[in-house]
Amino acid sequence: MRLEKCWFCSSTIYPGHGIQFVRNDAKIFRFCRSKCHKNFKMKRNPRKVKWTKAYRRLHGKDMTQDSTFEFERKRNRPERYDRNVTEKILKAIKKIDKVRVTREAKHHEKRMKGKKQKEQKEAARELDQSINLVKAPLALQQDSSLTLPKIKVKVSQSQAEVSAMEE
């Protein structure tokens, strides 16, 4: 059973699935679904389409330099199989998968490192801006320390005229 890769999004295509497109110069393009095929026909670049693996790798969302990816490469030469070698390979595959999962987890942790602090700052800023929704208006009038200072904005005459015309 041969598993192919989608030319556009790089996902695996299982036998009996997907679409094959053969160009006039005999180059074969395989697509996992019609979404990829249509994007290819529209001449879209997979590196600019956000949901593809090419985009994610290019923009640092997925791991790119990992030695475990080399085991996934396509090999076209036939191999003679020996039972002992096959057993060792199957054991190695399990080990490689475990290594890949741990590396992906580390990569994800590294990417999400400062996200919690950033979210807390954004939440505090939003709370400062809309404190009147949390505190009662009367409490805000009595204690002026709870409110933010008023900001004065200069309006040019042309803007004042436009607003006067709309009224």
Side-chain angles (χ1 to χ4, degrees), residues 2-164:
R2 173 168 275 189
L3 302 178
E4 304 287 346
K5 292 280 182 192
C6 176
W7 185 88
F8 197 80
C9 71
S10 305
S11 63
T12 51
I13 306 170
Y14 291 93
H17 292 260
I19 303 161
Q20 230 181 19
F21 173 73
V22 183
R23 209 166 45 190
N24 285 342
D25 61 351
K27 176 142 175 51
I28 299 172
F29 298 94
R30 291 180 176 84
F31 304 103
C32 58
R33 54 188 183 264
S34 62
K35 178 181 182 180
C36 298
H37 188 215
K38 287 174 184 173
N39 277 290
F40 173 79
K41 286 197 287 186
M42 286 190 274
K43 298 184 177 179
R44 289 203 175 136
N45 188 346
R47 286 171 286 183
K48 292 184 179 179
V49 180
K50 289 192 174 188
W51 52 268
T52 61
K53 281 189 182 173
Y55 176 91
R56 292 186 62 77
R57 284 192 178 138
L58 187 69
H59 291 82
K61 310 288 183 193
D62 276 345
M63 294 194 319
T64 51
Q65 274 86 28
D66 191 6
S67 58
T68 57
F69 291 133
E70 291 180 24
F71 295 111
E72 238 179 73
R73 292 222 173 111
K74 188 176 170 184
R75 293 168 184 86
N76 282 326
R77 62 190 159 137
E79 294 277 337
R80 286 195 182 168
Y81 288 103
D82 184 14
R83 178 172 254 168
N84 296 329
V85 173
T86 310
E87 283 180 25
K88 288 179 184 176
I89 289 173
L90 291 174
K91 287 179 184 175
I93 287 173
K94 290 177 184 173
K95 214 178 233 184
I96 290 166
D97 284 341
K98 190 182 268 185
V99 168
R100 183 179 294 153
V101 167
T102 55
R103 286 182 182 172
E104 283 177 0
K106 281 183 184 177
H107 177 74
H108 188 265
E109 272 183 38
K110 203 185 282 185
R111 279 194 60 230
M112 297 299 180
K113 194 175 181 182
K115 186 156 172 70
K116 201 169 201 176
Q117 293 171 347
K118 187 178 177 185
E119 285 178 346
Q120 286 176 345
K121 285 181 184 177
E122 287 176 3
R125 190 176 336 123
E126 187 176 345
L127 183 63
D128 288 342
Q129 289 175 349
S130 55
I131 190 75
N132 62 338
L133 298 174
V134 179
K135 292 277 186 178
L138 290 173
L140 289 174
Q141 287 175 355
Q142 292 169 359
D143 188 10
S144 61
S145 66
L146 297 174
T147 60
L148 293 173
K150 302 278 182 182
I151 301 170
K152 293 184 179 181
V153 180
K154 293 183 180 179
V155 179
S156 64
Q157 283 187 347
S158 61
Q159 289 178 345
E161 290 172 8
V162 170
S163 62

